[in-house]
Each structure stands twice: as C-alpha cells, then as structure tokens.
Amino acid sequence: MSALSILVVTSTPDHRNSTAELDALITELRRRPGVTVHVWFLRPGESPPWQDSRVVDDLRTLPVPAAIDKLGLSPVAGAIRGRILRRWWTEVAPDVVVLDDALGERLLPDDRQAVVVVHRMNPDSPSDAALEARATTAADIQLIPIEGSPSWGPEGRVVLHTMSRTDMEPARPFSSASSRSIVRRRLGVPADGLLVVGWGEHAWFDGPDLFVRAIWSLRERLGVDAHGLWVGGDSGDEVAAVIEDEIARCHLTGHVTHRPRSTIDSRLCGDVVFLPYRDEGDVELLRQAAITGCQIVTFPVWDTAVPGLRPVDHLDLEAAGDAIVAAAAEDRSTRAVAAGAALDVAPFVDDLLDAVARARGAR
Amino acid sequence: MRLRIAVHALDRTGPPVLAMSFVRWMSRLHPEVDLEVVSLRGGPLIDDVVRLADAMVVLDPDEPWDISDPDRPRHDEARRRLDELPTPDATLLVSVAAGQLLPVMERTGTLVTWVVEQGHDLHWIDEPTGLRERTDTWLAGSASSHAEVSGRLDGPVRLVPEFVDDREPVDARIRRRCRAALDVADDELLVIGAGIATRRKAPDLFMQTCIAARRRRERALFLWIGGQRDELHWPVRDDAKRVGLSRFRTMESVTDLHHWLGAADVFLHTARLDAFPLVCLHSAIAGTPVVAFRGAGGTTEMFAESFVGADYPDLGGLADLVHSMATPSVRDRVSREQSERVRSTYVTDVCAPALLESLIGPQAAAP
C-alpha cells in the first residue's frame, strides 16, 4: 500500500464507548503498512490528550497571540493562529480526514478536493457538542453504528457500518468448551446435553414463560435432552414468579434452572442462546454470545446484523425448537472464528481503506 | 325462610354466574323462600338479580377497597345497611372472595362457604375477614377445589358440584348470523375462547394456538370474548398484530354467551389454571365441543371420558385437536358425549338440590 496520512479530528479525550472504539480503530489503522495516523482533539477533556496528539484549542492560549490579543490587535493574533494551524496541517499533509461525530469541519482548508473526508457518527454525542458546529457538507464516507443511523448530518456518499467492540474481549474465553463446562458445574446445571440459555428481567417483553415452554418442546416434542438456564430476575419478582410457575406447570423441575444474576459467564456457558423477546434488547450481549460462536435463536425484533442471530417467526416455539436443534448441530469453533472476524475491527479497517482507495481513485 | 346469597361482584365471571343459576332455580322451585343477593361490587348482572330477588350492592364496580384498611364512612354505611336487613336463616358465600363482605355483615345465620377457586385465589381464606373462623359449613365446587381446600382447613369439606342452566340448542338462523357478523366462511372453523384477560386465563396461549393452527394451514377464525379491561388484552392484541394474524379477533363480553358458543365449531380453553370453568359447561350445553389442557384445573373431571385435550403446554397438540374438529363426524361425536356428560351431571336441576340441602338441611330442602 502506498503511504497514507490520516488525520482524526475528535471532540475531547472523553470516556464514551465510541472513543474507546476510535482508539481501537486507530491502533488497527497504524498496524497497516504505510498508514500514519494523527489525532487532533478540538478541546481538552476529562482525560489527558493521547500521546502525540494535538489540542486545537491550545492555539487560543499560545503566549504570543494571546499577548497580541491583549493589545487589542485580535485580527493579527487570529492570523498568527491561522498560520500555526496551517503549519500543523502541512506537517500532517492528510490524505484522509476523519471528523468524529462530524465535528471540526472548520479545520478543513477551503480547497478540500484533495482530501477524503470521513464522518464517523456515534450513538452518544460528546458532552461539549454544542460548542462546535456539525459538518454541513456531505462526507465522502460516512461511518454509522450498526444499531442505526443518527438522524443528523448530511448523508455520506459511501456508508459503512461500524461495530461496537465494548465488552467483547471478556467473552472470548467462553469459546472454549472447557471454560463453559467449569461454569456449568459451578451453576449446578448439567455439563452434558444441550444447554439453552436465555436472559432478561421483564416478565412479558423478555418472554421467560416462552423460554420454559421452548425447553418443554425440545424435550417432549423433539426428544432432545435439553436443559434450560434463565438468568436475570431477582427471586420474588415477577420474572422469577413467572418462570417458577411455568416450570411447575410444564413439569420441568430439574430441567430448567433460574439464576437471578445475569453475569457474562452464566450467559455464555450454554450451547445455544434462546431469547424469546417481544422487543429489542441489549445488542452488546448478543455480540458477546456471537463471538463465542454461540448461535442466538430469537424472534425478528432486532434491528442489527450480529453474526449468529437466527430469527424465527414471532412467538413460533415449534420453529424455535427446530432452530435450536439445528444451531446446536453446527460446528461452534468455526462459527467463533467467523464471528470473531465479523465482529473484530480488522475487517472493518479493510473495508474502510478500500472505500478510501475508491474515493481517492475517483478524484 | 330467608336465604342470602353473597358474591364478590356482579360481573359475568364464574361465581356470580353460578350464583344467578341458583337464584333462578330457587325462584322457580322454591318461591316460598325469601331470597336476597348481596354483592361487594356492582356489575351488569344487577339487572338479572333485581328481577328475581332483593339486592344490595356495597361498592361500585371499580371502587377502591382495602380490606385491611377500608374507607371508614363507606364501611360504616355498608354495615348499617346490612344491619337493617332481616337476619337470614342461612347465608351462602359463592367463592371465598365473597368473604370480603364479612367485616360489614355481622348477622348471617348459618354461614356456608362454597369454594369454587383454586391456587392463588384461595388466599382469601387467610385474609383478615373472619371467613375461616365464622364459616359453619365448607363446600367445594369441584374435586380439584375440594382436594386443595381440604388441605388448608381443619374441618370437613363437602363436594357440591358447580352447575349451569340447561338451555335449548341455538337456533340455526342465529348461529348463521353470529358467524356472518364475524365474517366466518362456511368452510372455516370458528374457534372461541372466553374469559378475563389475565395470565391465569391465558388469552396469550389462545392466540399462540392460533399461530400453531396457522402453521398447520388451518382455515379458522380464533375469537376471544371478554377481558377488554384486563392486563393482557392489549399485549395479546399487539402480539397478534405483530405476527400478522388476520384471523385472530377479540370481542367484548356479551350479555348472553349461549348463541356465540353455539355458533362456534370449537371452544378452546387454554387457561393455565381454572378450578371448574363454567364456560366449558356452557359450551357443552350449547353443543360445541371443548378442547382444553389436561391437568390445568377441573376440565378433566368435568368431562371425564369425553374430555378432549393435550398436556400443558402442548399448543401444537391443541392445534391438532382443533383441526380434528373440522371433521363433522368427530365434532358431532365429541359434542354429543360432552353434552350428555354435562346434562347428566352438572346442570342446575341436578346439582342445585344438594346445594340447598347444604344450606338449610335435608328436611327443609325436601320439595
């Protein structure tokens, strides 16, 4: 690959998930041969600026222009600041400028034809977003979270969907059958046989009764030695009452276990996840399961493209039972590799660099 | 002789409907007995009550009432009104929920409590109403209620079955009109469920059986009657809409369910628990076969050998049984067997004498 200089302009070094994901994206970009990445923060923030980054707002307090300001010669001070900014720009000589949250368009030169502009949209705005105007010109490439697109900002010519990586790393150990087996023993659920896991804390929308009846269907209709583990819902609350009532009615005592605390190890110790949700839940938890190669049988309520998601018709427990059996029969390790590749940032960086190359080629 | 019949409400749920069957029978066969009906809450059956008996309603249908901390002026007013009534020779509480009246009902004569509930609903036995202490005679409306309540009480409990009035078959023209009103084609099954829309009565499972039937390409309209103001009404409708069930409908509770039941091809009772669902007796009387869960209350006892159902929670099994009713010979046979069973065992003329005897003794109850 020929040399590529990328300038990332972002609001502040804050604690948003998207900022951590930006860090991961930059790290992966810097791994690529010929790619250099520079980071400019618009303002100082709650954390120190990253190593080798610049803070644009520092121009305001530079001693020389600040002293000239005090003499009432603000246009002169402004010209000095502009000259310094242009020097910074020349030092970087960016081929690509990534405007995080589509902020910082004012830093681009009037003649921006040579630069590929990328807008990276995030689910949460920075705390000081009101201090900076949003970009008004469409980007060459727009990065949008997989969960959906923000309603603001001009649409980019090319749209790529970004994946959140938060909390995925802790899930990786559960790709291993031995790890899952240890957790199962600790939770008191069978180490052998098909373990179906579900989670949720709402007695209607999360469908704990549907979960129990799916286990009944697996055992009684399909003849599968299945055990169910539902995590979430404190004892004494409605979820616990519904589950315990349904277990008793279905004569599944000993075949479905309820644990009130939903932890990553309890959620990921199963062979298949079944989430009989009536409404969309936490996508991050789906990703955690997906990266272990676990398939997630669910109803079509998710507006996302997580690998391993296996939707069946809404409320159709017969179809869910069939899907659970089919999912359990597939090779999990292969799926884990595929899911990891899909969820990791590396393939995304490939896509981004391809899009950049096409945009530069079109110049 | 003066008898008081006490109920928790005058809505169209099981206990008030059961009480009204008894009141009608008493009015017909024992006009010499002064009857009065006392209800904790009002409801649409008040109109039927006043045609047959003296009536007193303590609260409006939706009026808040905390048994442990009642509104004192309302409590005192109710007590004064009940004190002004002549003391009855006996009082029949139809359901343990009617025990809520006892704090304002000092004079009852012989107090007979007829337990027609099961499960959580039996909590009224142990609420601070005086029910446990003041009841002279305990009755149970079904074997399943009897088994459960016997374990909670020290004394004897006598089994006096619940019952419904026998009725004429539904006129063919009315049946046609009902089906036309619902846009049910001649070659389509009309599957009816009915009841309040709570988790126990399970309109959600009724709707999900509709999904299972659709999966089997069954041509059927599933109609749930009642429960518009209950917690599961809109969630279940939302589910049906999301699934795209064009042949799932709901209808408000109606004054007389008989001809709607008679218009159906199947009455599908998907309750998770129902001690002795009178609506299933009504359906059998109307000539419509009943399909239900086995072991979810009193339906297996109710129909004995003629019971048709699947194990809980086999909705696919229920859908298969619904499908079997599309065959006229099967439907006619089940309908005939269930009707015969109910007519010989659970209609008012068969069961009400035993209830009266429990209230006033065999001598006085003799015709």
Side-chain angles (χ1 to χ4, degrees), chain B residues 20-21 77 96 119 189 193 199 261 297 312 327 340:
Chain B
M20 286 309 299
S21 291
E77 181 195 0
V96 292
L189 288 177
R199 184 176 146 68
L261 292 172
Y312 186 88
T327 305
E340 285 172 0

Side-chain angles (χ1 to χ4, degrees), chain B residues 291-307:
Chain B
V291 173
F293 283 127
R294 186 180 291 110
T299 45
T300 40
E301 168 193 355
M302 182 182 286
F303 292 117
E305 297 298 314
S306 62
F307 173 79

Side-chain angles (χ1 to χ4, degrees), chain B residues 264-279:
Chain B
D265 298 293
V266 185
F267 184 79
L268 177 62
H269 189 67
T270 52
R272 288 179 166 90
L273 182 67
D274 214 339
F276 204 71
L278 295 184
V279 69

Side-chain angles (χ1 to χ4, degrees), chain A residues 204 209-210 212-213 216-217 221 241-243 245-246 249-251 277-279 301 313-319 322, chain B residues 199-200 204-205 207-208 211-212 214-216 232 235-236 239-240 242-243 272-273 296 311-317:
Chain A
W204 177 255
D209 61 322
L210 295 164
V212 175
R213 285 193 276 123
W216 181 92
S217 180
R221 192 175 69 85
V242 165
I243 287 205
D245 180 67
E246 207 70 19
R249 291 196 194 294
C250 296
H251 304 291
Y277 285 11
R278 289 181 164 90
D279 216 344
V301 297
D313 285 349
H314 198 62
L315 299 175
D316 190 338
L317 292 186
E318 291 178 323
D322 294 340
Chain B
R199 184 176 146 68
R200 186 172 67 80
D204 53 328
L205 300 184
M207 190 275 293
Q208 288 166 36
I211 295 175
R214 184 176 69 172
R215 193 174 160 83
R216 288 158 175 73
L232 281 191
V236 167
D239 271 352
R242 172 172 281 182
V243 173
R272 288 179 166 90
L273 182 67
D311 288 333
Y312 186 88
D314 187 2
L315 301 185

Side-chain angles (χ1 to χ4, degrees), chain A residues 27-39:
Chain A
T27 302
E28 181 60 28
L29 282 167
R30 282 176 172 155
R31 282 197 192 118
R32 303 305 172 98
V35 175
T36 54
V37 183
H38 307 267
V39 178

Side-chain angles (χ1 to χ4, degrees), chain A residues 163-343:
Chain A
M163 291 280 191
S164 163
R165 300 181 71 245
T166 314
D167 292 337
M168 275 180 10
E169 290 300 330
R172 288 187 195 276
F174 300 101
S175 303
S176 147
S178 58
S179 297
R180 296 196 299 272
S181 186
I182 291 166
V183 177
R184 288 185 192 194
R185 280 199 294 275
R186 183 164 52 74
L187 292 173
V189 296
D192 301 321
L194 172 63
L195 180 63
V196 184
V197 178
W199 55 78
E201 304 204 332
H202 196 286
W204 177 255
F205 288 107
D206 295 346
D209 61 322
L210 295 164
F211 179 84
V212 175
R213 285 193 276 123
I215 302 300
W216 181 92
S217 180
L218 285 166
R219 295 185 65 84
E220 302 298 327
R221 192 175 69 85
L222 299 175
V224 177
D225 178 21
H227 189 95
L229 170 64
W230 182 272
V231 291
D234 288 336
S235 58
D237 79 357
E238 200 182 351
V239 168
V242 165
I243 287 205
E244 280 151 25
D245 180 67
E246 207 70 19
I247 289 172
R249 291 196 194 294
C250 296
H251 304 291
L252 284 174
T253 303
H255 298 297
V256 177
T257 304
H258 173 227
R259 291 281 178 269
R261 288 195 62 226
S262 169
T263 56
I264 189 167
D265 51 349
S266 60
R267 286 193 302 274
L268 302 182
C269 70
D271 300 300
V272 180
V273 166
F274 176 46
L275 299 178
Y277 285 11
R278 289 181 164 90
D279 216 344
E280 196 170 24
D282 188 340
V283 178
E284 204 58 49
L285 304 188
L286 291 191
R287 292 198 185 106
Q288 288 175 353
I291 204 137
T292 70
C294 189
Q295 294 232 19
I296 304 132
V297 176
T298 184
F299 300 140
V301 297
W302 302 85
D303 183 21
T304 186
V306 172
L309 207 58
R310 200 166 185 145
V312 297
D313 285 349
H314 198 62
L315 299 175
D316 190 338
L317 292 186
E318 291 178 323
D322 294 340
I324 288 169
V325 171
E330 290 179 12
D331 178 46
R332 182 164 178 165
S333 56
T334 307
R335 282 203 314 263
V337 171
L343 290 171

Side-chain angles (χ1 to χ4, degrees), chain B residues 128-139:
Chain B
T129 61
L131 180 67
R132 184 186 278 273
E133 300 78 14
R134 291 173 60 184
T135 296
D136 298 302
T137 302
W138 290 93
L139 309 178

